[in-house]
Amino acid sequence: MMDGEIFTATLVPSGNVTPDSSMTLEQKTTFAFVILLFIFLGILIVRCFQILLDPYQSMPTSTWADGLDGLEKGQFDYALA
């Protein structure tokens, strides 16, 4: 069973070789970028749930027609002519 010994020897590292467990700079940068994306995704999810629960909270109280003098709301078409 020499083939089996070679197969197990290639899968299991020998005792005198230490595996390199440190991350490269590219891996660290990618990991940090993915973490930032997850934070951004979490913020977006919270914001979407806030809008779904109270959709009128972020709307301004005034409208575009409040500043027009002498015009009722809905009569803006006549003011353009």
Side-chain angles (χ1 to χ4, degrees), residues 44-59:
L44 284 179
I45 289 173
V46 168
R47 180 68 180 137
C48 287
F49 274 110
Q50 285 177 348
I51 290 173
L52 285 174
L53 293 176
D54 191 10
Y56 300 108
Q57 175 187 11
S58 60
M59 293 178 64

Side-chain angles (χ1 to χ4, degrees), residues 11-34:
L11 291 179
V12 178
S14 60
N16 58 0
V17 177
T18 58
D20 187 19
S21 63
S22 64
M23 295 172 56
T24 63
L25 181 61
E26 183 177 299
Q27 290 173 336
K28 289 178 184 178
T29 305
T30 305
F31 187 72
F33 183 69
V34 168

Side-chain angles (χ1 to χ4, degrees), residues 1-12:
M1 294 298 275
M2 191 170 176
D3 292 335
E5 293 174 6
I6 293 172
F7 182 72
T8 56
T10 56
L11 291 179
V12 178

